[in-house]
Amino acid sequence: MDYVLPNELVDGMIAAGGKKATVSIKNLLVRGFYSGAILGLAVILALTVGIKSGQPWLGSLLFPFGFASIVLFGMELVTGNFALLPMATWAGRSSWRATFRNWAWVWLGNWIGTAVVALLMAISLTSGTMNGAADNIGAPIWDLVAQKIIALNKANVVVKYENLGGTGFLLAILRGVIANWLVCLGVTMALVSKSVPGKILACWLPITAFQSMGMEHIVVNQFLHTAGPILGSGVNMGQVFIWNFIPVTIGNIIGGMVFIGMLFYSTHRTKVENVLPNEHDDKLERELAAELGAR
């Protein structure tokens, strides 16, 4: 049966969080690197399509391909772990020390991945231009994408938050809450299905929603607000950390842990010792390992 029942889903999320708590630092960094890098590339795709088509929503519609690959390949995305690890800790499958360890290393791995893509794309965006007239696309698209990243960097660090002081800091937290509520909903919906098409379909809409609404997701921001200064936005990394990275991370933790993790745990948690049956079942164990990101 492709559909996973709600109580089975929560048991699976707890098991996934417990397994993630034991992953080595090397694997957390490697898997975190992939997730950050692919989301950076997905942001570039979304911006390019939005600019070329004149329809930003179309870019948002295509953006979730990066997130879908993270789910299918069992990689590490810190925002999803903000929901899964606390659930495992509440169930006794992990500890807060292991939870914070996972969050810290995956956050770093995600940032390294986004930074590498930001550097590569910045070099690409500023080294030569496309022949817009020859390609019938008007202005050089790379220049337009670079300008868009710079504008977003200035707007989402200085204009929307730093210039508003404490109110801006609070707004960044609130927008982070909404973003990761939707992102963790995507993670949860992907776990409801065991089929590849079901997983992709289930996670696609919540991710499209957060992207279209312009909410604040720390890994997406790690790309935008690292690429912006590299491209010459004039915003320094101190401003980025204080007025975006820190409040958005706080908001993402609240959105994932409270509005997905705590909510689902409190209503669908079943008192079981193990999601695996007593008898040995290689096929079921393999399916659960793939489904839950067990390592």
Side-chain angles (χ1 to χ4, degrees):
M1 183 176 178
D2 183 50
Y3 173 61
V4 178
L5 296 173
N7 64 310
E8 296 172 334
L9 169 68
V10 170
D11 292 339
M13 293 171 75
I14 290 168
K19 293 294 184 181
K20 285 175 178 291
T22 65
V23 176
S24 68
I25 292 174
K26 184 265 289 184
N27 281 333
L28 291 177
L29 287 173
V30 171
R31 294 167 189 168
F33 173 89
Y34 172 86
S35 299
I38 199 66
L39 286 191
L41 292 171
V43 171
I44 288 290
L45 171 68
L47 292 177
T48 303
V49 171
I51 291 170
K52 291 181 71 172
S53 67
Q55 302 292 331
W57 66 269
L58 188 56
S60 297
L61 185 63
L62 297 176
F63 170 80
F65 92 87
F67 178 83
S69 77
I70 293 169
V71 170
L72 294 176
F73 298 153
M75 296 299 176
E76 296 285 343
L77 187 66
V78 71
T79 46
N81 290 0
F82 287 156
L84 295 177
L85 272 294
M87 294 176 74
T89 300
W90 297 326
R93 300 288 188 89
S94 180
S95 66
W96 285 113
R97 180 177 180 178
T99 294
F100 294 136
R101 166 187 173 273
N102 176 282
W103 289 355
W105 287 112
V106 175
W107 195 100
L108 179 61
N110 290 163
W111 190 27
I112 294 172
T114 60
V116 168
V117 172
L119 182 60
L120 293 175
M121 293 305 299
I123 294 171
S124 174
L125 293 171
T126 56
S127 299
T129 59
M130 294 173 62
N131 188 334
D135 294 336
N136 294 316
I137 60 172
I141 188 65
W142 294 118
D143 291 346
L144 295 178
V145 171
Q147 291 168 20
K148 183 65 174 179
I149 291 173
I150 290 172
L152 287 170
N153 179 221
K154 291 178 178 178
N156 292 344
V157 174
V158 180
V159 177
K160 292 182 181 178
Y161 305 129
E162 184 178 24
N163 287 350
L164 296 178
T167 300
F169 194 90
L170 178 59
L171 284 173
I173 292 175
L174 292 177
R175 288 166 184 161
V177 170
I178 296 170
N180 207 34
W181 189 344
L182 289 167
V183 169
C184 287
L185 179 61
V187 172
T188 305
M189 290 180 70
L191 288 171
V192 168
S193 174
K194 296 179 182 178
S195 71
V196 172
K199 286 179 174 294
I200 293 175
L201 260 176
C203 75
W204 206 274
L205 189 56
I207 306 304
T208 299
F210 111 77
Q211 180 73 359
S212 299
M213 293 162 63
M215 295 296 111
E216 301 283 358
H217 183 269
I218 184 57
V219 183
V220 170
N221 290 4
Q222 285 173 337
F223 170 73
L224 288 173
H225 305 315
T226 301
I230 293 174
L231 288 168
S233 68
V235 179
N236 64 60
M237 291 307 297
Q239 291 172 290
V240 168
F241 266 87
I242 294 172
W243 296 104
N244 194 283
F245 284 5
I246 291 174
V248 169
T249 298
I250 293 170
N252 285 176
I253 290 172
I254 296 169
M257 182 171 67
V258 175
F259 292 99
I260 295 296
M262 188 178 292
L263 189 152
F264 277 75
Y265 184 90
S266 65
T267 191
H268 285 307
R269 167 68 171 140
T270 57
K271 307 296 183 184
V272 294
E273 293 299 319
N274 202 311
V275 294
L276 294 175
N278 291 328
E279 64 273 14
H280 189 74
D281 187 331
D282 287 332
K283 184 175 183 295
L284 179 58
E285 288 187 7
R286 183 176 179 277
E287 288 178 356
L288 282 170
E291 189 77 22
L292 306 176
R295 305 291 184 267

